[in-house]
Amino acid sequence: MSSSPRNTAGRPLSSVRSVLVALLGALVPLLAATVLTAPAATARSQQVAAVPPATLTEVTGFGSNPSNLQMYLYVPESVTARPAVVVAVHYCTGSGPAMYTNTEWASLADRYGFVVVYPSVTRASKCFDVASPQALKRDGGSDPVGIKSMVDWVTRTYSADPGRIFATGISSGAMMTNVLLGDYPDVFAAGAAFSGVPFGCFATTDGSEWNSACANGTVTRTPEAWGDLVRAAHPGYTGPRPRMQLWHGTEDDVLRYPNFGEEIKQWTNVLGVGQTPSATDSPVSGWIRTRYGSTGDRAPVEAISLQGVGHNLYSNGMASHALRFFGLDSSGPAPQPQPGACKVTAGTSAWSTGLTGSVTLTNTGTTAVNGWRLAFTLPAGQTVTNGWGATYAPASGTVTATNASYNGTIAPNASVSIGYQASHGGDSGPPTGFTLNGTACATG
């Protein structure tokens, strides 16, 4: 009687084949499930880890970028599902990293979970193109195209909410905010422009980046003419238009104050609301806020005039007002600047080209301040050369004094005194616009 073929372990080969068939039958569905699910898991992992969290990171290869902008991105640790996106646009001579360092948008992103894009100019002037014909039309082939590509990249990568894309900027960045909202009204939900000019006001045809007539506030148009410039950037568009928040100092000597009124004329016309304010108030001493089209925090147009303030008006606390206008504070709300939580007295003693400044900060709240940053604006031409009682940065414009190791705690009704020396170009006056940890201070 013949025997069945056997393997080296002495088992019949037919039995081994049966076991292998059974094992393969069990493994094939498992392998198929693994193959089908692994790419999705990998995609999710790549999406979440597109850039390191809580770290300013440069992103390259983000899409069409005709003017060679750089893209910097900040994604908080606690980024929300379908996050909002804020595009924070820097001033002339600035950069994306400078905008990251000198504004509160990253810290607000940490609190509310949105993503911040910081575009950065590489041309020599470090100013955004808000003047060329290419910049002033949709997909025209200049800076706005690159910024739109950045927004598209973030929207794809982080599944961002396309209905919550916002733009904000300072000076050149404020002008670009006006341009972005004109070129891409279907992309941006709202903007906040700090010290800017109307869309199209800076237009040139000779390649120049500067328009002196506009900067000096001598370009005036009817509301309809201003509105037509915006509408011409995207001909045929009939959809909703983004809301606009405008900020300007009455003593702006770079982009003069009449531009503020022209911006109001433009955006009230674009949004189809009257030029008579629906509401007027003063949320902070020295501020006059007018709202057009409605009285709430999300009016179609909101305009904030800062009495006696120059071009470098941005200070801590202002971004929170823009955040509220955008409607991104609904999970909080974030602390809003309120007068009366602190009081500041300031004075200067001057000589020919220099001065000594003294500042006394009083905690008028009911709880102790543990760690403080006092922001204020120096008059134009003043530069801090040294100081005591705090560290001071930057040396001019909007300066932040940060407590020393020995005076970081201020009890209720207690005071701390600090001082500095500065050079000046003729204006030896004291600083203005004091905010303590983002809260506006009374002065006296």
Side-chain angles (χ1 to χ4, degrees):
M1 184 173 179
S2 63
S3 60
S4 301
R6 296 177 179 270
N7 66 2
T8 55
R11 293 178 180 173
L13 290 178
S14 60
S15 173
V16 173
R17 282 193 295 270
S18 298
V19 172
L20 287 173
V21 168
L23 285 173
L24 285 171
L27 283 171
V28 166
L30 180 61
L31 288 169
T34 302
V35 169
L36 289 172
T37 57
T42 301
R44 284 195 297 271
S45 174
Q46 288 173 346
Q47 181 185 56
V48 172
V51 301
T55 304
L56 184 69
T57 304
E58 183 175 5
V59 175
T60 58
F62 50 83
S64 178
N65 184 24
S67 54
N68 196 33
L69 299 179
Q70 291 175 288
M71 173 184 175
Y72 292 89
L73 189 67
Y74 183 83
V75 179
E77 290 272 8
S78 56
V79 63
T80 61
R82 286 177 59 80
V85 179
V86 173
V87 179
V89 194
H90 68 74
Y91 38 87
C92 281
T93 75
S95 66
M99 193 72 174
Y100 165 78
T101 299
N102 294 319
T103 66
E104 304 144 281
W105 287 108
S107 62
L108 290 171
D110 288 336
R111 181 174 301 173
Y112 293 108
F114 57 85
V115 176
V116 190
V117 178
Y118 298 95
S120 196
V121 170
T122 57
R123 64 178 62 89
S125 67
K126 302 299 182 182
C127 296
F128 285 91
D129 176 15
V130 296
S132 74
Q134 292 76 22
L136 297 175
K137 66 179 179 179
R138 182 183 183 85
D139 299 335
S142 189
D143 292 351
V145 173
I147 295 173
K148 167 67 161 46
S149 296
M150 298 176 196
V151 170
D152 289 344
W153 188 94
V154 172
T155 302
R156 290 192 306 269
T157 306
Y158 289 92
S159 300
D161 184 348
R164 295 193 300 152
I165 311 293
F166 305 92
T168 185
I170 302 169
S171 189
S172 179
M175 293 192 279
M176 178 52 71
T177 297
N178 278 266
V179 169
L180 289 172
L181 268 59
D183 286 358
Y184 296 104
D186 53 334
V187 173
F188 294 94
F194 294 82
S195 302
V197 303
F199 178 101
C201 183
F202 240 60
T204 60
T205 56
D206 59 359
S208 172
E209 296 180 36
W210 189 257
N211 185 319
S212 294
C214 179
N216 290 330
T218 62
V219 177
T220 60
R221 290 187 170 92
T222 65
E224 176 126 9
W226 280 124
D228 286 345
L229 288 176
V230 172
R231 288 182 283 269
H234 187 5
Y237 178 74
T238 58
R241 294 279 178 173
R243 298 176 298 112
M244 177 62 95
Q245 184 186 64
L246 305 166
W247 300 70
H248 223 103
T250 61
E251 300 304 312
D252 193 326
D253 59 355
V254 177
L255 301 173
R256 294 191 179 274
Y257 188 67
N259 282 301
F260 180 59
E262 299 302 301
E263 284 180 296
I264 294 172
K265 287 159 62 176
Q266 182 172 66
W267 289 103
T268 52
N269 179 267
V270 167
L271 287 155
V273 299
Q275 293 183 65
T276 301
S278 300
T280 302
D281 65 359
S282 180
V284 173
S285 177
W287 295 11
I288 299 175
R289 178 172 62 187
T290 49
R291 287 168 166 167
Y292 303 83
S294 74
T295 60
D297 289 333
R298 302 187 200 178
V301 178
E302 180 173 282
I304 302 168
S305 172
L306 282 69
Q307 183 63 39
V309 176
H311 185 64
N312 297 322
L313 65 77
Y314 181 86
S315 64
N316 287 344
M318 291 181 178
S320 292
H321 281 272
L323 191 83
R324 173 174 285 183
F325 179 75
F326 291 166
L328 296 184
D329 63 342
S330 57
S331 64
Q336 297 296 311
Q338 296 294 331
C342 48
K343 180 179 179 181
V344 172
T345 57
T348 57
S349 176
W351 58 93
S352 57
T353 59
L355 61 86
T356 298
S358 59
V359 176
T360 299
L361 167 65
T362 301
N363 175 12
T364 57
T366 58
T367 59
V369 173
N370 293 302
W372 52 265
R373 290 163 59 88
L374 183 67
F376 51 84
T377 300
L378 292 176
Q382 289 190 17
T383 302
V384 173
T385 55
N386 62 77
W388 50 92
T391 56
Y392 299 80
S396 60
T398 300
V399 178
T400 298
T402 303
N403 66 268
S405 59
Y406 57 82
N407 63 1
T409 299
I410 312 175
N413 299 315
S415 301
V416 62
S417 294
I418 61 176
Y420 59 90
Q421 287 186 322
S423 59
H424 69 82
D427 187 345
S428 60
T432 57
F434 295 92
T435 59
L436 172 63
N437 294 345
T439 298
C441 297
T443 56

